[in-house]
Amino acid sequence: MKRRRFRLVVPLLAAVLTAALTGCASDTERRSVTIVHPWSGAEGAAFRAVLNEFQERHRIEVIEQSARGVSQLVLANLAAGEPPDLAVMANAGELAAHARAGRLHPLDDLVPRDRFPRSWTLPIGDGDGPEHSYAVPFKVNLKGLIWYNTRARPEPVPRTYPELERYVRDHGDGAAAWCMGMGDGPNAGWPGTDVIEDLILHEHGHETYLRWAAGDLSWRSAEVRSAWERLRRVWADNAYGGRQVALLTDFADAGAPMFGRAQGCLLEHQASFMLNFYERYRNASGGAARPGADYDFFPFPPFPDRSFSPPRKAAIDMVAMFRRTEEAEQLIQWLAGAEAQRIWLQRTDGNAFMANPDADRDVPRRNEVASKIDRHIDTAEVLCLDAADMMPAAMREAFQRGVLEYLADSRRLPDILAELDEVRRAVPEEQWVSLSCER
């Protein structure tokens, strides 16, 4: 046995010496790291620019994979025993489940915990042990924005929720009140869950909202049920083409009728990332739609006579580590830094909102609409994570499916809410995550 080991070592040493003498690439130069993410189009190009700069600086190859359904892709890779080194996901509840199952690595030693709001780093405790951070926030998407074509600007812009309801009811003939599309591949239904979340958050406040997101409030409670009923009565029944068209339309295409010569719909409830989608549309003159000149937004209006400050809601794209390697450590530290996030901003002309507070230094916002979104993020007294993103995967998927079923047949609402409560009770307690609303 000793002689066999000796024979293997000698050729290995010879190969190493030969590589050194002939100038062949070293192991360091051949290092690589894998990452999966949800971005495509302009956002995908911006992220590739971030990764390309990392590759140049560190001589580490980045093997990326883009997919709309990152959660499903990660689960498939885990089942095959080949998890990615890193994954970018907005689903805090699903990442928390991976962390508690031991599939994620804590990041306390890589990124200072005081660099970002606590809930944005996915703090998870281990029984009576210390709390660890399992994610690095990269990109912020402000939700609860109501977009409109400036040719048909609401007059006046609704400042309270009852004023919004009156505008929807009395806007006149012709165009529908809402542009609406529920489609998004395996994640279909989330544009409807977003509306329900905003209604609960703004009518009842963030404490009720967090109880519901953490599984402590029944889906059949008055607070939750009334939000579903408003979704149908105020949104879906006033959607372009009706509920059936909304079910068949992809969210990325739902706003197109807002920009037609004969305007088909007037408002769209969507997030800040729509800046990257609206730029594909043409204005009435046939040119590219321009923020401010052709479209603008107002924030989801508050319910009057509420004792709490108007809350805001955001989806945070978080980077988590499934395989801890030196290369993965270097990439996640790079992604957390202001310089990497600034590259994204530069590639998108300032039409993005990054988690690192220093990222937008020396990167001017190219339009007032982006500047206005930035101000809403910076000045929000209460900024909550998206409730569906905080829910365990089974609950979130049932929520999205329930929205689709409700829009298909609103008479089934009692049964849908009862089924959602059954899912809530069936989810093990340890799969729920409780995250605060904070800045």
Side-chain angles (χ1 to χ4, degrees):
M1 293 296 292
K2 290 181 181 178
R3 293 179 64 187
R4 289 183 64 188
R5 276 202 294 268
F6 181 76
R7 287 172 181 163
L8 288 171
V9 169
V10 169
L12 178 60
L13 289 172
V16 171
L17 289 171
T18 300
L21 292 172
T22 59
C24 292
S26 68
D27 287 341
T28 300
E29 292 173 319
R30 289 198 300 268
R31 292 184 300 164
S32 65
V33 58
T34 60
I35 184 168
V36 297
H37 62 84
W39 298 304
S40 59
E43 291 186 310
F47 193 51
R48 278 191 294 278
V50 174
L51 299 179
N52 288 341
E53 182 65 23
F54 173 81
Q55 290 184 137
E56 288 293 322
R57 294 190 181 200
H58 296 272
R59 302 184 68 82
I60 296 172
E61 180 187 8
V62 181
I63 303 168
E64 60 162 320
Q65 188 171 3
S66 169
R68 266 192 181 183
V70 170
S71 298
Q72 294 82 359
L73 177 60
V74 167
L75 288 173
N77 288 344
L78 287 167
E82 298 179 354
D85 297 327
L86 304 176
V88 183
M89 299 168 63
N91 305 125
E94 191 160 346
L95 285 175
H98 286 309
R100 288 175 174 142
R103 291 188 286 266
L104 293 185
H105 294 272
L107 307 175
D108 308 84
D109 58 331
L110 297 177
V111 180
R113 295 184 68 181
D114 59 356
R115 194 75 188 94
F116 305 101
R118 176 177 168 274
S119 62
W120 295 12
T121 65
L122 195 64
I124 302 292
D126 184 13
D128 297 326
E131 194 176 75
H132 297 289
S133 296
Y134 286 92
V136 165
F138 183 75
K139 186 168 173 284
V140 181
N141 289 303
L142 186 63
K143 292 200 163 186
L145 307 182
I146 298 179
W147 298 89
Y148 59 86
N149 188 317
T150 54
R151 285 191 295 129
R153 184 177 187 268
E155 294 294 348
V157 170
R159 296 188 179 277
T160 67
Y161 183 78
E163 289 179 6
L164 175 63
E165 283 199 333
R166 281 197 294 274
Y167 175 78
V168 170
R169 184 185 66 235
D170 302 335
H171 68 274
D173 297 330
W178 293 105
C179 314
M180 181 176 276
M182 294 292 117
D184 188 16
N187 300 310
W190 67 259
T193 70
D194 270 9
V195 174
I196 290 170
E197 290 169 12
D198 267 324
L199 287 164
I200 294 171
L201 179 61
H202 286 81
E203 184 172 12
H204 303 289
H206 71 275
E207 292 181 359
T208 297
Y209 174 87
L210 289 175
R211 285 178 53 220
W212 168 61
D216 295 330
L217 181 64
S218 170
W219 290 83
R220 287 174 285 185
S221 66
E223 298 93 331
V224 177
R225 182 184 179 113
S226 67
W228 283 76
E229 291 170 342
R230 290 182 195 272
L231 168 66
R232 177 193 59 77
R233 186 177 68 252
V234 181
W235 266 263
D237 284 353
N238 296 283
Y240 176 78
R243 282 185 266 162
Q244 292 302 318
V245 170
L247 286 169
L248 297 172
T249 301
D250 192 275
F251 85 94
D253 302 322
M258 189 163 63
F259 294 89
R261 287 183 179 274
Q263 196 171 350
C265 49
L266 301 175
L267 305 173
E268 184 172 24
H269 176 276
Q270 261 299 356
S272 58
F273 54 66
M274 292 311 291
L275 281 168
N276 296 300
F277 289 91
Y278 290 156
E279 66 183 12
R280 302 178 309 165
Y281 297 140
R282 316 305 291 180
N283 59 24
S285 302
R290 298 160 299 165
D294 295 304
Y295 59 90
D296 205 340
F297 75 91
F298 58 90
F300 196 100
F303 282 73
D305 304 322
R306 293 301 186 268
S307 59
F308 48 83
S309 299
R312 297 285 173 248
K313 183 183 69 172
I316 310 296
D317 291 311
M318 303 174 177
V319 190
M321 183 182 290
F322 284 85
R323 291 181 66 247
R324 183 154 192 157
T325 66
E326 182 181 346
E327 294 80 10
E329 291 175 353
Q330 291 185 55
L331 180 53
I332 207 165
Q333 286 180 306
W334 167 250
L335 294 175
E339 189 172 2
Q341 297 189 17
R342 193 175 296 128
I343 292 171
W344 182 299
L345 274 177
Q346 292 167 337
R347 288 297 297 262
T348 57
D349 289 333
N351 285 347
F353 311 93
M354 313 311 292
N356 192 304
D358 297 326
D360 59 0
R361 186 182 301 164
D362 302 324
V363 181
R365 296 290 178 186
R366 300 301 175 88
N367 62 79
E368 178 55 30
V369 174
S371 296
K372 187 163 62 170
I373 293 171
D374 208 25
R375 288 195 296 272
H376 278 291
I377 295 173
D378 288 343
T379 61
E381 294 183 30
V382 177
L383 185 61
C384 300
L385 293 185
D386 182 282
D389 286 345
M390 289 190 278
M391 294 175 182
M395 188 77 262
R396 184 185 71 254
E397 291 165 5
F399 186 13
Q400 293 170 348
R401 186 171 59 251
V403 165
L404 301 178
E405 293 174 357
Y406 179 53
L407 296 189
D409 184 358
S410 60
R411 296 169 299 180
R412 291 201 61 247
L413 182 59
D415 293 334
I416 291 169
L417 297 180
E419 290 164 4
L420 288 171
D421 261 338
E422 289 181 12
V423 175
R424 177 177 66 94
R425 289 190 294 266
V427 172
E429 184 177 349
E430 64 272 13
Q431 290 190 19
W432 294 93
V433 61
S434 180
L435 297 173
S436 59
C437 296
E438 59 189 323
R439 288 295 303 124

